[in-house]
Amino acid sequence: MQELIERAKSLLEAGQVARVLGWKKGENVWDAEPAFFESADALDAFVYNGFCGANLSKYMIEAGKLEGKTLVFLKPCDSYSFNQLLREHRVDREKAYIIGVGCKGKLAISKIPFDGILNVSGADYPAAAEMLKVETLYGDVEIAYKEAMLERCHVCKGKEHVVYDELLGESCDTVDADRFAEVERIEAMSPEEKFAFFQQELSKCIRCNACRNVCPACSCRKCVFDSTAFDSAQKANTTSFEEKMFHIIRAFHVAGRCTDCGECSRVCPQGIPLHLFNRKFIKDINALYGEYQAGSDLETKAPLTCFTTDDAEPGVGRG
Amino acid sequence: MTLLFSMLDYLGVEDGRTRVEWVSAAEGVKFSETMNSFAKKINELGPSVRLGDLRCKN
Amino acid sequence: MRRIGVFVCHCGSNIAATVDVKKVVEMALNEQGVVHAEDYPYMCSEAGQSRIAEAIKEKQLSGIVVCSCSPRMHEATFRKCAETCGLNPYLVEIANIREHCSWIHKDVEEATEKAVILMRAAVAKVHLNAPLQAGESAVTKRALVIGGGIAGIQTAIDIADAGYKVDIVEKTPSIGGRMSQLDKTFPTLDCSACILTPKMVEAASHENITIHTYSEVEKVSGFVGNFTVDIRKKARFVNMDKCTGCGVCQEKCPSKKPLNEFNRGLNTRTAIYTPFAQAIPNVPVIDPQSCIKLNTGKCGVCEKFCQVGAIDYTQKDEIITESYGAIVVATGFDTINLDKYGEYAYNESKDVITSLELERIMNAAGPTKGHLERLSDGKAPKEIVFIQCVGSRCSDQRGKPYCSKICCMYTAKHAMLIRDKYPDTNVTVFYIDVRTPGKNFDEFYRRAVEDYGVNYVKGQVGKVAPQPDGSLLVHGVDLLENKQILKKADMVVLATAIEPNPDVRKIATMLTASIDTNNFLTEAHPKLRPVESPTAGVFLSGVCQGPKDIPETVAQAGAAAVKVIGLLAKDKLKTNPCTAKADELRCNGCSQCANVCPYGAISYEVRQVNDHGIREDRRIAVVNSALCQGCGACTVTCPSGAMDLQGFSNRQIIAEVDAICR
């Protein structure tokens, strides 16, 4: 982590970048939050550890409008999001100085199931201990790093950055599950079981819109859900809209552009497994239009906005 | 369309509620047969519980 | 809330017999916003329209719904009517209760219920109609004619005479086309070159016509009134400004192997050549495949003998870009390939020839200097058999399903000319039908039979078998005599089917002009619009649209010219305003819409946008409303919903669905 801070400071001091976009310490060790650092001194509050799950690429939309370059630290999964934003002309490549930072998997406090947690140690980077030590009000306990990892890290796409100006820090492989296993399990259920499952999960939604706000693919200047033009603007959870439509519509809007960065599930305060919708679309797109990973490069044509004669017939199986 | 219907299946929406058919303006008989059989199926399935009109009521 | 008037047409009994029009009027008055409703026998008539005009004035209507026939028939009529009353023409909606209702149902109750629903949907839609303004686009007053045969030449001359500039692009080294290869033309037996060359000269010397020979259209972009075309002028290796057409280069050229295309491969030509004596321009081209100098660096004889130094071996293809307001396709035809007709021995015997090859043989400027002789041994043929419909009217996959139209007449012509010049040569024609519908055509054919003794046999030929003694045994049937015929012939002429040049597919794609499975370009309406392509600004002239003879070609060429003149005479064209538009406050500039637009109508520009007080430069999608066809693909792709289709907006469509599902 020190290495990252030193590098950021030197770039700031040399005038190569006007500000740094990274993570800063929160009240607790697990509260790392995205932040802008305007000076070398400010960087004393910089942190990079196992709790830095936040994807910084979306902040570059606004940062690109400011004077001078912004140094942004991107984890491997974040770099896909950045590329996707580049494809859609939402960020200016020239305004970003990207340090591709290594990653050994990120943690979720919600996965550390103890009461009265005071501190978690072993999550620093690059150490990333195999066992995390958790100090609680009721005594010290241990939990394996892997067990506390975010769901998305178990199905990591790979630790190679797809866009960067320089690389810093080591990574290690964290994959130990099949990416589409959960989706397949649900697909195998009966329609009644499926409906019941989703009703139960989605009824928890409080329309905080955190998933939409954090999603890099959801970068529309004016979201359809904020617009009176579509009769779908809603802020408070007053009807069964959330259970029936909001999440499906959002997933459909980002289909083909979602890089599977996993932020939506991470930020949901209700713990709804939102990634199940996006992964379902990704699985279908792979099957229908060929393997496609959004954000992996700038040239490959997106499957939903281009046509080839191999494309699956619409309504396959429903005629 | 294909993606959307696959997602509706995933959510547990009944199979008969969605259908895709290519019908040209010159295929009048096919159009009427398609629409009549679809309307019949929908009536059999009854009112939709799992999929609703999402718009805010003014 | 609009004040809407609903007008229900009886259309005589077309609608009124199956739909209770009075009921529709009654139900219309119950709809929100409808302040006037009436029915009338013929809404599109002047009396009907004046009723609409009256209602607009009296009731201050701000929206019209006409329940009538398909909008394809009279939407324009009712729009104009509204406009003359000062109402924006796009505040008019048509509910089709004829093609979509009265013509497809029999039960009056059902049909009336459906008509009421259709009326409701139209009323719901018109509440949300915006007073759109048709845009304008300028017209470039220059026409392009693709193809320099008689069709292209005639069209160009007619357009040029009206005072407009025309360019002819012809891919062979000279204009003239198929007609320059013919000997005599039916039904007058005029010498083809004698009537064609004056027109060729007229075109070449006309101050408004520019001819690009040995050139091809490479790229077309734009839309009616504003086409941008790239033309590839292939390298002739001869400087056109210097060449005097003296012909010495052709006399001296040592490369004499290449087959002469103009003579259908029946003899050879030199590597540097003009296709025929009356070629325009009278400047030769060097065929790079067979030129010794261009292939090996040796020779250069033509350059040595050229007195004006016109030979230039370094010449390169040149691409020029021009702007046109209208494009006419006049690409003509060729005969089909006879490989699938092995039974006629065309590939085995030199004495089995096509009718076009016969034209070249009989032509005094042809490979045999006009002597009718067998190509195998040079002897005069005493028995000639003509076989009709080779490859035409074909019900299997070997040939073409259509009748090639010109063969009955030209075979009668050939038969008559041969009998006239060689009275002791017998001529037999095997036919299925004889089709001679034109002016003086039937009289012409009967002369061949009655005055010139041509033997017409109704029956087809199964096989032509070359014999060891050099003759051809023709095995056919005579259906009227009900017997088989075995005839020994010295020459067999096949009236081969014609088809459009396969290159025309490329041109049709470039112009997005509709083309059918036989490669004929499709006309906008088979009866009422024969010279226009459904694509605006593209017109059709000659055989590229369908088989036809010279009189019909010239007539159609004139018709195409008139359509072009009508277009070029306008200073501005009205563009359809029912096109897509991006709301600049909502557009992200993400480029998804441009990727799905089939017409390439969407581009992006950086604009300063004032979004509720925040001014910033944004990348916004911009739709070219002249190219946009209103398909709506961009509208559904747009993630933020910024893109919408004017005249068929998202809200309007949902309003219609709601009205139907009430």
Side-chain angles (χ1 to χ4, degrees):
Chain A
M1 183 177 94
Q2 225 17 62
E3 210 192 334
L4 302 174
I5 298 180
E6 291 312 312
R7 185 68 184 119
K9 281 190 177 168
S10 71
L11 283 166
L12 257 181
E13 264 143 28
Q16 267 189 280
V17 299
R19 70 196 66 77
V20 178
L21 171 56
W23 305 265
K24 90 167 182 239
K25 284 189 239 226
E27 215 181 285
N28 300 302
V29 72
W30 56 85
D31 280 335
E33 52 185 60
F36 283 97
F37 303 89
E38 306 285 331
S39 68
D41 289 335
L43 279 166
D44 289 336
F46 179 93
V47 70
Y48 183 59
N49 61 22
F51 288 102
C52 289
N55 180 345
L56 299 173
S57 56
K58 194 173 183 183
Y59 298 99
M60 283 309 302
I61 297 178
E62 291 302 316
K65 297 180 189 167
L66 304 169
E67 272 294 319
K69 280 196 180 201
T70 304
L71 163 59
V72 57
F73 288 96
L74 294 182
K75 306 191 291 298
C77 45
D78 304 345
S79 64
Y80 287 87
S81 306
F82 190 83
N83 253 358
Q84 186 59 31
L85 285 169
L86 268 178
R87 281 177 77 115
E88 294 173 15
H89 306 272
R90 303 310 310 281
V91 293
D92 188 348
R93 181 69 183 90
E94 298 305 307
K95 296 309 266 301
Y97 188 90
I98 303 172
I99 291 186
V101 66
C103 175
K104 297 194 174 181
K106 293 289 175 280
L107 308 165
I109 192 64
S110 52
K111 293 223 166 170
I112 303 178
F114 305 115
D115 293 329
I117 298 177
L118 296 168
N119 194 19
V120 177
S121 46
D124 357 303
Y125 179 83
E130 223 183 287
M131 296 300 289
L132 295 167
K133 277 212 192 46
V134 186
E135 287 168 43
T136 78
L137 284 171
Y138 310 105
D140 294 348
V141 272
E142 273 193 347
I143 181 169
Y145 193 101
K146 285 211 167 207
E147 268 186 60
M149 241 174 23
L150 288 168
E151 187 278 336
R152 72 190 199 219
C153 298
H154 291 276
V155 296
C156 175
K157 291 188 287 291
K159 296 293 191 290
E160 283 191 20
H161 294 79
V162 291
V163 60
Y164 57 88
D165 288 307
E166 63 180 75
L167 296 172
L168 271 185
E170 290 170 11
S171 305
C172 73
D173 189 19
T174 53
V175 178
D176 61 11
D178 177 69
R179 196 171 171 203
F180 298 114
E182 274 182 275
V183 171
E184 281 164 9
R185 193 175 59 84
I186 297 174
E187 279 174 342
M189 295 187 208
S190 75
E192 288 68 35
E193 286 174 332
K194 284 173 182 162
F195 189 64
F197 173 76
F198 281 112
Q199 289 305 99
Q200 194 209 14
E201 289 297 333
L202 294 180
S203 61
K204 296 190 269 181
C205 175
I206 55 174
R207 284 305 298 278
C208 67
N209 292 315
C211 52
R212 181 193 70 174
N213 294 346
V214 81
C215 174
C218 270
S219 56
C220 287
R221 295 182 203 280
K222 191 121 177 111
C223 177
V224 291
F225 296 112
D226 285 340
S227 163
T228 49
F230 303 101
D231 295 336
S232 55
Q234 262 189 310
K235 299 293 188 189
N237 179 4
T238 56
T239 68
S240 60
F241 181 56
E242 290 64 41
E243 288 158 26
K244 297 221 174 97
M245 302 311 282
F246 172 72
H247 296 281
I248 319 304
I249 296 176
R250 202 184 76 75
F252 197 57
H253 273 216
V254 304
R257 303 184 300 118
C258 164
T259 60
D260 204 5
C261 74
E263 282 288 84
C264 47
S265 295
R266 183 182 72 85
V267 303
C268 176
Q270 300 290 81
I272 304 173
L274 296 167
H275 57 273
L276 289 177
F277 297 115
N278 302 94
R279 293 241 181 99
K280 165 67 175 162
F281 275 131
I282 293 175
K283 176 167 179 285
D284 281 347
I285 288 175
N286 285 347
L288 294 168
Y289 308 116
E291 292 274 329
Y292 177 72
Q293 172 56 47
S296 50
D297 63 47
L298 296 176
E299 289 83 37
T300 316
K301 286 194 190 288
L304 292 182
T305 52
C306 86
F307 172 76
T308 66
T309 44
D310 305 333
D311 282 352
E313 273 295 310
V316 60
R318 307 194 85 89
Chain B
M1 256 196 297
T2 325
L3 273 187
L4 179 63
F5 291 168
S6 177
M7 176 56 81
L8 290 178
D9 279 346
Y10 188 66
L11 298 173
V13 173
E14 303 92 315
D15 197 0
R17 298 224 178 254
T18 56
R19 184 166 169 180
V20 173
E21 201 73 53
W22 289 125
V23 187
S24 132
E27 295 174 304
V29 177
K30 185 173 179 197
F31 179 72
S32 100
E33 280 173 1
T34 307
M35 294 317 294
N36 285 332
S37 73
F38 190 62
K40 184 152 162 274
K41 182 79 193 274
I42 293 292
N43 283 326
E44 280 169 17
L45 284 172
S48 174
V49 169
R50 299 182 191 178
L51 208 54
D53 184 339
L54 61 85
R55 294 171 289 168
C56 308
K57 306 284 171 259
N58 287 329
Chain C
M1 176 66 56
R2 293 206 181 280
R3 292 173 62 82
I4 298 178
V6 176
F7 302 88
V8 186
C9 185
H10 298 211
C11 195
S13 62
N14 278 312
I15 294 176
T18 325
V19 170
D20 180 353
V21 289
K22 300 267 180 239
K23 183 82 194 275
V24 178
V25 170
E26 192 192 309
M27 298 301 281
L29 287 165
N30 288 339
E31 292 299 303
Q32 213 181 30
V34 175
V35 300
H36 177 92
E38 67 176 276
D39 61 282
Y40 193 73
Y42 295 100
M43 252 336 162
C44 56
S45 65
E46 243 194 80
Q49 289 186 61
S50 61
R51 296 193 72 80
I52 297 179
E54 228 177 88
I56 293 177
K57 288 197 192 83
E58 267 178 35
K59 304 267 177 88
Q60 283 112 55
L61 299 179
S62 53
I64 310 277
V65 169
V66 182
C67 300
S68 63
C69 52
S70 162
R72 293 189 103 195
M73 310 295 300
H74 286 299
E75 186 176 57
T77 314
F78 293 120
R79 286 219 170 123
K80 233 200 215 132
C81 173
E83 207 172 11
T84 50
C85 303
L87 184 62
N88 182 296
Y90 295 94
L91 296 176
V92 174
E93 281 298 321
I94 311 287
N96 183 348
I97 59 172
R98 193 181 76 172
E99 282 87 335
H100 282 188
C101 190
S102 70
W103 273 1
I104 51 174
H105 291 294
K106 294 208 175 94
D107 182 279
V108 176
E109 225 180 277
E110 252 180 29
T112 307
E113 193 191 331
K114 186 163 169 182
V116 169
I117 294 175
L118 289 170
M119 175 273 300
R120 281 197 191 132
V123 169
K125 185 178 183 206
V126 87
H127 269 294
L128 298 170
N129 273 25
L132 302 172
Q133 295 292 335
E136 277 183 343
S137 64
V139 178
T140 306
K141 292 184 191 288
R142 196 184 185 107
L144 171 65
V145 175
I146 305 178
I150 181 64
I153 291 171
Q154 185 62 49
T155 303
I157 290 175
D158 288 341
I159 297 174
D161 278 347
Y164 296 101
K165 298 242 179 281
V166 192
D167 287 0
I168 302 179
V169 171
E170 163 59 45
K171 78 173 181 209
T172 64
S174 165
I175 55 172
R178 288 281 157 243
M179 205 174 151
S180 57
Q181 291 176 298
L182 304 180
D183 181 33
K184 305 245 189 314
T185 56
F186 60 77
T188 46
L189 294 180
D190 287 307
C191 150
S192 185
C194 305
I195 54 175
L196 175 65
T197 42
K199 287 217 186 268
M200 286 166 61
V201 170
E202 196 187 336
S205 57
H206 204 297
E207 59 177 2
N208 282 337
I209 300 181
T210 308
I211 302 182
H212 299 289
T213 52
Y214 210 47
S215 303
E216 291 187 47
V217 170
E218 186 133 295
K219 190 164 159 234
V220 178
S221 62
F223 49 97
V224 58
N226 292 281
F227 291 108
T228 306
V229 181
D230 282 355
I231 299 169
R232 176 181 290 273
K233 292 174 71 84
K234 299 187 289 214
R236 291 177 109 98
F237 305 105
V238 175
N239 187 323
M240 289 190 67
D241 297 320
K242 292 192 183 156
C243 175
T244 58
C246 70
V248 170
C249 51
Q250 295 173 66
E251 285 171 32
K252 300 292 180 196
C253 177
S255 170
K256 295 184 205 287
K257 296 256 179 57
L259 290 176
N260 188 334
E261 298 90 344
F262 190 77
N263 284 332
R264 308 296 290 176
L266 297 181
N267 67 352
T268 58
R269 57 163 171 77
T270 47
I272 185 167
Y273 70 103
T274 41
F276 54 100
Q278 307 95 327
I280 287 180
N282 190 12
V283 173
V285 314
I286 300 183
D287 164 18
Q289 304 257 340
S290 47
C291 171
I292 300 172
K293 174 83 179 185
L294 289 175
N295 284 314
T296 65
K298 299 198 179 84
C299 185
V301 166
C302 51
E303 192 182 22
K304 290 191 196 97
F305 278 93
C306 178
Q307 305 222 321
V308 293
I311 308 287
D312 178 5
Y313 299 110
T314 63
Q315 226 180 56
K316 298 261 175 290
D317 287 358
E318 191 196 334
I319 304 213
I320 58 174
T321 305
E322 296 278 2
S323 299
Y324 302 103
I327 299 180
V328 181
V329 184
T331 46
F333 67 96
D334 201 344
T335 51
I336 64 167
N337 182 296
L338 287 174
D339 285 348
K340 292 196 182 139
Y341 288 90
E343 66 265 38
Y344 298 125
Y346 175 73
N347 287 325
E348 285 118 72
S349 168
K350 281 194 168 173
D351 298 320
V352 177
I353 57 177
T354 65
S355 305
L356 194 49
E357 287 164 0
L358 181 65
E359 289 276 351
R360 294 314 304 148
I361 290 174
M362 291 175 64
N363 190 304
T368 62
K369 303 275 179 285
H371 294 138
L372 182 62
E373 56 190 55
R374 283 155 49 94
L375 292 172
S376 55
D377 54 18
K379 293 209 188 90
K382 292 295 171 201
E383 283 285 342
I384 305 183
V385 165
F386 285 83
I387 302 178
Q388 297 304 97
C389 302
V390 176
S392 302
R393 305 178 64 186
C394 198
S395 50
D396 60 35
Q397 297 302 318
R398 285 200 302 165
K400 302 293 173 186
Y402 51 83
C403 164
S404 294
K405 203 164 190 194
I406 51 179
C407 337
C408 284
M409 279 305 288
Y410 69 53
T411 294
K413 170 191 78 174
H414 289 155
M416 224 183 337
L417 289 170
I418 292 173
R419 289 287 302 156
D420 182 63
K421 202 164 167 194
Y422 306 97
D424 46 323
T425 298
N426 292 324
V427 176
T428 309
V429 178
F430 282 90
Y431 70 97
I432 307 175
D433 298 293
V434 178
R435 296 180 164 178
T436 52
K439 188 166 177 175
N440 295 319
F441 281 17
D442 204 65
E443 296 93 312
F444 182 85
Y445 147 68
R446 289 211 314 273
R447 248 173 53 219
V449 175
E450 292 160 14
D451 297 347
Y452 287 87
V454 177
N455 184 20
Y456 270 78
V457 176
K458 186 174 173 82
Q460 291 190 281
V461 168
K463 194 161 173 66
V464 173
Q467 302 296 295
D469 66 354
S471 66
L472 300 159
L473 190 58
V474 177
H475 187 175
V477 269
D478 184 337
L479 293 174
L480 295 177
E481 299 273 316
N482 199 12
K483 64 175 194 235
Q484 300 223 344
I485 294 187
L486 273 172
K487 192 166 189 65
K488 190 159 180 269
D490 299 316
M491 184 186 270
V492 170
V493 183
L494 306 175
T496 318
I498 57 173
E499 62 175 3
N501 199 310
D503 281 354
V504 78
R505 281 210 94 91
K506 221 173 28 165
I507 297 201
T509 308
M510 272 191 262
L511 298 172
T512 54
S514 196
I515 193 168
D516 69 20
T517 46
N518 294 314
N519 282 347
F520 287 110
L521 288 161
T522 332
E523 57 288 301
H525 187 285
K527 289 192 277 276
L528 300 178
R529 297 177 68 192
V531 295
E532 299 159 82
S533 168
T535 307
V538 175
F539 304 93
L540 313 173
S541 176
V543 178
C544 66
Q545 178 262 339
K548 51 180 72 72
D549 51 41
I550 295 169
E552 286 172 332
T553 298
V554 173
Q556 198 188 49
V562 154
K563 296 285 181 197
V564 169
I565 292 167
L567 170 60
L568 297 184
K570 297 192 169 80
D571 285 319
K572 294 238 179 276
L573 282 179
K574 272 215 174 129
T575 56
N576 184 353
C578 292
T579 53
K581 188 160 180 231
D583 177 350
E584 61 179 28
L585 293 184
R586 288 214 205 104
C587 176
N588 301 322
C590 69
S591 305
Q592 289 196 64
C593 51
N595 287 342
V596 298
C597 176
Y599 304 100
I602 305 180
S603 60
Y604 296 91
E605 58 182 45
V606 175
R607 255 191 223 172
Q608 199 191 61
V609 170
N610 183 354
D611 189 350
H612 300 93
I614 302 175
R615 272 184 214 279
E616 55 178 11
D617 283 336
R618 288 193 192 169
R619 186 168 185 272
I620 307 282
V622 174
V623 177
N624 178 337
S625 59
L627 281 173
C628 173
Q629 302 294 321
C631 73
C634 57
T635 312
V636 301
T637 306
C638 177
S640 60
M643 189 66 85
D644 207 351
L645 192 55
Q646 292 168 289
F648 295 91
S649 69
N650 293 323
R651 274 186 168 273
Q652 283 178 300
I653 294 180
I654 300 276
E656 286 185 289
V657 172
D658 280 341
I660 293 173
C661 296
R662 226 152 74 189

